């Protein structure tokens, strides 16, 4: 049997599998067979006489543990594999805690609170302490408590930390410690732990009960850890304690794919592993079996710019493959249709399941979804919701619906207490019951609470009236002002945006981005309606279109091949034949929040490395010259990370070849000459169908209604539009303020634009 499976390993994998004399660190490059090494190593250890129950294998997901167990079962049999201690950190440590629960003041049947349970309890404590829930937001307090636990800080240690208390005072939430202390007691009283407690209490158990630690240190003869770059301090310390007796520990990971610091992951755990275990052996899995040589080489040239890393040189013996194509587009709108057109062309030889579009923030999916829909390309959102199904987007749309139709009961129910304004379910039910009793809408009751004898006290009646008054003024403006202007005002007045901006948690930053993206969608819709139809676009026009889009979102045919859309974070561990990485612009990718910290910037670069290495055959990168943010179009610069990739692995657009941005990359005249020669023939958007080549055309003879020239524009002229990009004027017609231009744009085809609204620049 040994001969059978060991023959399937390459030299690097084999060396990592057979070494078992002490601690080892396996640095596994992307697509290098990490899971195979872990499973084969466990099978090899069993073959060498280690009892199955003495092996502890820790993973981060149940899926990873299940897949490894299934593979091992095929190699050694189910009866043996089922005795392994294999599972996630949380599942394994909960098993230990249930066995030792009495030592910590719990019983073995303790409840495990999920994130929702935890947040609900924190909300209740905030209310009991009569604290302002607009300052003491449950999500913020929950994150602070979680961070404290992952750093092994008890409530007492939290109180003793001057830095934490000062930080809370500066944030105007000085009583977080009191909430933490009360939360801890309120969990323990009903015999409950939250997810973070499973790590915290395991450390407490091993710290305070040396005999228990000794039992498990002796019991586990070999410890294996997957994705070690994602461990936090608490996980690292537990593993270190358990390995003290036998010193037989194998951790597998890739520092170049450490991208979860916002969850508490500490890259130093893997970077400093050799310092923690000076006798350890380091094995590097450097052969990539997933990607073409060009993709692997491009990724190498990118990640080598990071200072904090364990150096390795990943290589591929697959086909050389195509160079990575970099697309320069005029706007994010243009980006959506450029990528969609490329997919439509490439799809002729592939299934839609072979394609994935990766973006830095969830908000970017909106434009992409719109372009895919308009081109009838099926898609799915991986690890998240379609843009218009996200909570904050549905909240905003509910406000807009209520402005348009105050009798929309579902919209009213959704946002009457969002953001929190003290109108609970009891009051809402009274309002609805009263409305149903009198056979009128809830809004009608709100409009005259006294007349309908709504059974609420004076304070509650005032809250309801205040809510009504926050909506009513806008109802008269629905058909008076531009839809974007009204939506912008409503969102501001609703408090949704200010509520999300109260802290810089990843969740709230994403909420802000998504709401701004929705406003951008409304702005684009209004601009296009003005230009193409010469009409003012009102809010109902936009919502009518959105309702059609969201209806399509809800269709789910599992047998349909679909393009996958997801954030780069969600893509880790996945692979696709064709990858599109969009939005590669400064302050978007890398994020603006990373620019003041070299450590944060290096994590952003690792995130881009993860994106590129998802690709098996082709990889495409795009950036927009302008992107709509904060109510206006902003000029964008290409991401510095494009500049980090050796140009020999790229097909660059013409504007990057000419710009100083591209010129800054060269270190020698030889490199500059190579780059200039290699890009002369590759400035088009190969390998897929290129956009139509634009050139001036001679004006045809005027017909009765057509014009040859107007306002500096003439038939045949090359022009540029803020949203649609570059095009050629093929027709001018009309008179006075109703002059129109028919423009053939290189990516989006023909558009009939009203010149008094269209912003066309002659090239």
């Amino acid at each position: 049997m040994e001969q059978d499976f060991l023959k399937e390993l390459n030299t690097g994998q084999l060396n990592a599998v057979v070494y078992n004399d002490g601690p080892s660190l396996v640095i596994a490059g992307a697509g290098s067979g990490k899971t195979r090494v872990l499973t084969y190593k466990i099978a090899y250890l069993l073959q060498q006489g280690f009892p199955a129950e003495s092996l502890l294998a820790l993973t981060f997901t149940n899926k990873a543990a299940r897949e490894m167990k299934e593979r091992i079962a095929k190699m050694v049999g189910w009866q043996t594999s089922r005795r392994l201690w294999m599972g996630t950190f949380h599942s394994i440590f909960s098993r230990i805690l249930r066995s030792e629960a009495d030592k910590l003041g719990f019983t073995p049947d303790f409840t495990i609170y999920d994130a929702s349970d935890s947040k609900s309890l924190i909300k209740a404590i905030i209310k009991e302490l009569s604290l302002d829930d607009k300052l003491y937001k449950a999500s913020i307090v929950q994150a602070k408590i979680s961070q404290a636990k992952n750093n092994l800080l008890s409530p007492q240690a939290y109180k003793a930390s001057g830095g934490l208390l000062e930080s809370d005072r500066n944030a105007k939430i000085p009583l977080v410690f009191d909430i933490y202390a009360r939360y801890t007691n309120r969990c323990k009283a009903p015999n409950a732990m939250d997810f973070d407690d499973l790590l915290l209490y395991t450390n407490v158990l091993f710290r305070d009960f040396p005999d228990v630690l000794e039992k498990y240190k002796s019991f586990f003869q070999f410890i294996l850890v997957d994705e070690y770059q994602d461990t936090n301090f608490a996980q690292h310390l537990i593993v270190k304690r358990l390995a003290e007796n036998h010193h037989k520990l194998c951790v597998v990971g890739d520092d170049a794919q450490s991208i979860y610091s916002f969850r508490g992951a500490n890259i130093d755990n893997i970077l400093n592993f050799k310092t923690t275990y000076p006798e350890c052996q380091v094995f590097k899995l450097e052969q990539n079996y997933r990607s073409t040589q060009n993709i692997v080489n491009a990724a190498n040239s990118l990640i080598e710019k990071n200072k904090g890393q364990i150096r390795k040189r990943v290589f591929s013996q697959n086909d050389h493959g195509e160079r990575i194509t970099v697309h320069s587009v005029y706007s994010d709108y243009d980006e959506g249709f450029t990528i969609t057109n490329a997919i439509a062309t490439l799809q002729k030889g592939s299934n839609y399941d072979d394609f994935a579009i990766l973006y830095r923030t969830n908000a970017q999916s909106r434009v992409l979804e719109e372009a895919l829909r308009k081109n009838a390309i099926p898609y799915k959102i991986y690890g998240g919701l379609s843009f218009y199904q996200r909570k904050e987007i549905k909240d905003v749309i509910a406000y807009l619906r209520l402005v348009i139709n105050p009798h929309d009961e579902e919209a009213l129910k959704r946002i009457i207490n969002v953001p929190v304004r003290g109108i609970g379910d009891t009051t809402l039910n009274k309002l609805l019951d009263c409305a149903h009793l009198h056979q009128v809408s809830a809004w009608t009751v709100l409009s005259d609470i006294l007349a309908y004898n709504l059974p609420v006290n004076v304070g509650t009646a005032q809250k309801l009236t205040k809510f009504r008054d926050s909506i009513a003024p806008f109802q008269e403006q629905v058909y008076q002002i531009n839809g974007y202007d009204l939506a912008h005002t409503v969102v501001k007045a609703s408090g949704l945006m200010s509520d999300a901006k109260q802290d810089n948690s990843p969740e709230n930053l994403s909420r802000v981005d998504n709401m701004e993206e929705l406003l951008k969608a409304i702005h684009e819709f209004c601009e296009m309606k003005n230009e193409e139809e010469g009409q003012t676009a009102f809010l109902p026009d936009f919502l009518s279109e959105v309702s059609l889009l969201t209806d399509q979102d809800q269709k789910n045919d599992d047998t349909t091949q679909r393009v996958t859309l997801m954030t780069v974070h969600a893509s880790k561990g996945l692979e696709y034949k064709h990858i599109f990485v969009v939005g590669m612009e400064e302050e978007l990718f890398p994020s603006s929040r990373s620019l003041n910290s070299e450590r944060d910037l290096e994590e952003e670069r690792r995130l881009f490395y993860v994106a590129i290495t998802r690709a098996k055959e082709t990889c495409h990168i795009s950036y927009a010259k302008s992107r709509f943010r904060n109510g206006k179009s902003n000029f964008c610069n290409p991401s510095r990370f494009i500049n980090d990739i050796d140009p020999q692995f790229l097909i660059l657009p013409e504007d990057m070849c000419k710009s100083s941005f591209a010129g800054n990359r060269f270190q020698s005249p030889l490199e500059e000459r190579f780059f200039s020669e290699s890009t002369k023939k590759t400035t088009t958007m190969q390998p897929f169908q290129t956009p139509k080549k634009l050139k001036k055309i001679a004006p045809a003879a005027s017909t009765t209604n057509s014009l040859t020239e107007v306002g500096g524009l003439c038939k045949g002229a090359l022009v540029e539009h803020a949203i649609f990009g570059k095009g050629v004027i093929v027709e001018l017609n009309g008179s006075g303020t109703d002059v129109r231009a028919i423009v053939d744009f290189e990516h989006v085809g023909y558009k009939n634009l009203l010149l008094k609204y269209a912003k066309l620049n002659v090239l």
Side-chain angles (χ1 to χ4, degrees):
M1 177 181 168
E2 177 178 335
Q3 296 295 321
D4 289 338
F5 70 81
L6 291 185
K7 283 182 178 179
E8 299 174 18
L9 304 173
N10 65 34
T11 302
Q13 294 170 337
L14 179 64
N15 292 337
V17 165
V18 301
Y19 179 80
N20 59 16
D21 295 332
S24 62
L25 169 63
V26 181
I27 298 297
S32 62
K34 168 180 66 70
T35 303
R36 169 174 286 195
V37 166
L38 275 172
T39 53
Y40 280 37
K41 188 173 185 71
I42 291 171
Y44 180 75
L45 291 170
L46 292 170
Q47 200 175 67
Q48 298 304 300
F50 283 86
E53 59 272 13
S54 74
L55 303 183
L56 172 63
L58 298 167
T59 67
F60 274 85
T61 66
N62 289 310
K63 180 178 178 232
R66 184 172 59 252
E67 289 177 353
M68 287 171 59
K69 226 170 199 176
E70 289 172 354
R71 292 192 193 187
I72 293 167
K74 290 178 181 178
M75 300 168 73
V76 303
W78 177 250
Q79 291 301 317
T80 300
S81 67
R82 66 193 297 269
R83 302 202 317 271
L84 293 166
W85 280 65
M86 177 181 287
T88 64
F89 280 89
H90 291 92
S91 66
I92 294 295
F93 298 150
S94 66
R95 184 176 170 184
I96 292 174
L97 288 171
R98 291 193 189 282
S99 297
E100 314 293 341
D102 60 308
K103 297 178 177 61
L104 297 168
F106 291 86
T107 62
D109 59 348
F110 61 80
T111 299
I112 298 177
Y113 283 169
D114 63 16
S116 177
D117 298 324
S118 169
K119 189 173 182 179
S120 178
L121 177 55
I122 290 170
K123 281 183 177 179
I125 293 171
I126 291 170
K127 187 174 182 179
E128 290 167 10
L129 293 174
S130 300
L131 299 174
D132 184 350
D133 57 12
K134 292 181 181 178
L135 287 176
Y136 288 87
K137 298 177 71 66
S139 58
I140 299 174
V141 176
Q142 184 180 37
K144 283 183 167 288
I145 292 174
S146 176
Q147 184 178 22
K149 289 183 178 183
N150 286 327
N151 285 303
L152 304 182
L153 294 175
S154 65
Q156 294 74 22
Y158 193 103
K159 185 178 182 180
S161 172
L164 288 174
L165 296 183
E166 183 179 0
S167 174
D168 291 343
R169 283 194 296 269
N170 291 339
K172 298 181 180 179
I173 47 174
L175 298 181
V176 169
F177 155 71
D178 299 84
I179 300 172
Y180 183 14
R182 188 171 292 207
Y183 173 78
T184 300
N185 293 332
R186 291 282 289 276
C187 284
K188 196 163 188 178
N191 196 39
M193 296 185 192
D194 65 21
F195 266 52
D196 296 315
D197 283 331
L198 298 176
L199 302 180
L200 175 64
Y201 279 121
T202 301
N203 274 290
V204 171
L205 178 70
F206 291 163
R207 180 196 68 193
D208 295 350
F209 299 91
D211 56 326
V212 175
L213 174 60
E214 186 61 38
K215 178 174 72 172
Y216 288 100
K217 285 196 302 185
S218 301
F219 183 71
F220 294 126
Q221 297 178 34
F222 211 111
I223 301 170
L224 304 99
V225 185
D226 189 18
E227 304 286 9
Y228 195 70
Q229 77 279 351
D230 293 336
T231 55
N232 60 29
F233 176 66
Q235 291 161 329
H236 163 77
L237 188 56
I238 293 171
V239 170
K240 185 173 182 291
R241 283 172 165 163
L242 288 174
E244 285 173 351
N245 276 16
H246 297 287
H247 289 268
K248 293 189 183 296
L249 166 67
C250 174
V251 303
V252 182
D254 183 6
D255 56 291
Q257 297 186 67
S258 178
I259 59 174
Y260 295 120
S261 65
F262 66 94
R263 294 181 186 168
N266 186 354
I267 191 176
D268 293 335
N269 291 343
I270 194 167
L271 294 181
N272 298 334
F273 189 83
K274 196 165 178 59
T275 302
T276 306
Y277 302 94
E279 73 277 27
C280 90
Q281 294 292 312
V282 178
F283 301 93
K284 297 180 181 180
L285 308 184
E286 297 177 304
Q287 182 171 355
N288 180 300
Y289 291 92
R290 174 189 300 154
S291 308
T292 63
Q293 294 179 38
N294 190 83
I295 289 170
V296 169
N297 292 337
N300 284 341
S301 69
L302 167 75
I303 203 63
E304 71 180 9
K305 307 301 188 299
N306 271 11
K307 296 177 182 177
Q309 65 170 297
I310 298 170
R311 299 283 172 181
K312 62 182 179 297
R313 191 68 185 178
V314 180
F315 67 94
S316 171
Q317 293 183 345
N318 295 338
D319 292 341
H320 190 271
E322 300 170 359
R323 283 181 285 175
I324 294 175
T325 304
V326 181
H327 303 274
S328 170
V329 297
Y330 192 80
S331 67
D332 42 352
Y333 181 90
D334 191 19
E335 181 178 52
F337 284 91
T338 298
I339 298 307
T340 301
N341 291 340
I343 291 174
T345 302
L346 279 172
Q347 192 269 336
K348 293 172 183 175
S350 304
N351 294 319
Y352 283 128
D353 281 352
D354 294 330
F355 295 84
I357 305 175
L358 311 183
Y359 36 79
R360 180 64 183 83
T361 65
N362 279 309
Q364 290 169 258
S365 78
R366 198 273 308 171
V367 171
L368 299 165
E369 289 183 64
E370 180 181 338
L372 289 165
R373 286 191 192 98
K374 289 185 176 179
N375 283 275
I377 294 177
Y379 69 90
K380 61 186 175 185
I381 306 289
Y382 180 91
L385 296 169
S386 174
F387 181 82
Y388 286 102
Q389 295 300 310
R390 291 171 185 146
K391 179 185 181 302
E392 59 272 18
I393 299 305
K394 294 181 86 169
D395 289 343
V396 172
I397 288 177
Y399 267 98
L400 302 181
R401 282 168 52 187
L402 198 61
V403 166
I404 294 169
N405 174 16
H407 305 297
D408 185 335
E409 189 171 288
E410 291 305 311
L412 184 143
K413 284 161 57 178
R414 183 177 185 91
I415 50 88
I416 193 169
N417 199 38
V418 179
V420 176
R421 50 176 61 89
I423 302 174
D425 289 343
T426 300
T427 301
L428 177 58
N429 289 333
K430 287 180 180 179
L431 174 63
L432 296 175
D433 289 343
C434 183
H436 298 158
L437 176 65
H438 292 90
Q439 298 184 338
V440 295
S441 70
W443 184 264
T444 301
V445 176
L446 283 179
S447 300
D448 200 340
I449 290 173
L450 291 177
Y452 285 96
N453 198 26
L454 184 64
V456 295
N457 60 37
V458 174
T460 301
Q462 289 175 343
K463 292 174 183 176
L464 291 169
T465 301
K466 186 176 180 181
F467 168 70
R468 181 199 67 201
D469 292 346
S470 70
I471 301 290
F474 303 120
Q475 293 168 351
E476 298 176 357
Q477 302 175 22
V478 170
Y479 290 103
Q480 293 179 359
I481 65 175
N482 173 284
Y484 168 74
D485 294 333
L486 180 56
H488 188 273
T489 306
V490 171
V491 170
K492 183 178 180 181
S494 72
L496 291 171
M497 191 70 79
S498 58
D499 183 65
K501 288 182 176 179
Q502 289 201 14
D503 72 274
N504 289 325
S505 67
E507 295 80 9
N508 277 347
L509 290 170
S510 179
R511 286 170 60 200
V512 171
D513 287 345
N514 289 338
M515 285 187 280
E516 289 181 345
E517 182 67 20
L518 176 62
L519 290 174
K520 169 191 165 184
I522 300 172
H523 182 271
E524 285 180 355
F525 176 84
C526 294
E527 286 282 297
M528 290 182 202
K529 196 169 182 69
N530 284 344
E531 292 178 352
E532 296 183 10
E533 300 178 19
Q535 299 175 7
T536 299
F538 297 115
L539 204 50
D541 300 325
F542 175 78
L543 289 188
S544 294
E545 179 155 307
V546 167
S547 66
L548 296 175
L549 299 182
T550 53
D551 284 344
Q552 185 171 342
D553 277 347
Q554 294 167 11
K555 294 178 183 177
N556 186 16
D557 181 359
D558 291 337
T559 64
T560 302
Q561 298 278 334
R562 297 175 185 274
V563 174
T564 302
L565 278 69
M566 70 183 110
T567 63
V568 182
H569 280 103
S571 74
K572 187 170 176 289
L574 303 176
E575 59 183 42
Y576 295 86
K577 281 186 181 179
H578 309 292
I579 288 288
F580 293 82
V581 190
V582 301
M584 288 305 303
E585 299 136 30
E586 285 292 293
E587 300 191 13
L588 181 55
F589 201 170
S591 164
S592 59
R593 297 183 286 275
S594 70
L595 300 182
N596 294 323
S597 163
E598 183 174 359
R599 187 181 179 93
D600 291 343
L601 191 60
E602 292 204 345
E603 178 156 333
E604 290 284 303
R605 188 178 285 112
R606 293 194 295 270
L607 190 60
F608 186 33
Y609 174 85
V610 167
I612 292 174
T613 55
R614 299 311 92 199
K616 296 165 71 174
E617 295 181 6
T618 69
C619 182
H620 313 280
I621 298 166
S622 62
Y623 67 89
K625 297 176 185 177
S626 66
R627 191 170 290 273
F628 194 92
R629 283 182 173 181
N630 302 317
K632 61 180 181 179
S633 290
N634 296 280
F635 176 77
C636 303
N637 290 315
S639 169
R640 67 189 69 193
F641 295 154
I642 301 176
N643 197 35
D644 286 341
I645 301 175
D646 192 317
Q648 67 178 298
F649 307 121
L650 300 175
I651 297 176
L652 287 165
E654 187 173 357
D655 57 352
M656 284 192 73
C657 298
K658 293 179 179 178
S659 69
S660 59
F661 176 86
N664 289 338
R665 73 168 73 240
F666 303 120
Q667 303 299 316
S668 69
L670 178 62
E671 287 180 315
E672 183 164 2
R673 186 174 70 250
F674 170 81
F675 176 72
S676 299
E677 292 173 354
S678 68
T679 55
K680 282 177 183 176
K681 301 177 182 178
T682 58
T683 55
T684 58
M685 302 174 74
Q686 300 290 342
F688 21 80
Q689 182 178 346
T690 61
K692 62 192 72 171
K693 294 184 179 297
L694 299 176
K695 60 181 181 179
K696 292 182 179 179
I697 58 177
S702 298
T703 62
T704 305
N705 296 319
S706 67
L707 303 170
T708 302
E709 183 175 355
V710 63
L713 299 173
C714 62
K715 293 168 63 174
L718 293 178
V719 294
E720 195 165 40
H721 184 275
I723 295 175
F724 304 129
K726 295 177 182 177
V728 178
I729 296 177
V730 296
E731 186 69 47
L732 290 168
N733 55 58
S735 61
T737 59
D738 293 323
V739 175
R740 290 177 172 273
I742 298 176
V743 184
D744 185 11
F745 291 99
E746 60 180 335
H747 291 306
V748 298
Y750 289 93
K751 294 289 180 182
N752 189 348
L753 306 178
L754 195 63
L755 289 187
K756 68 179 179 180
Y757 294 115
K759 301 177 180 66
L760 295 176
N761 295 318
V762 179
L763 299 177

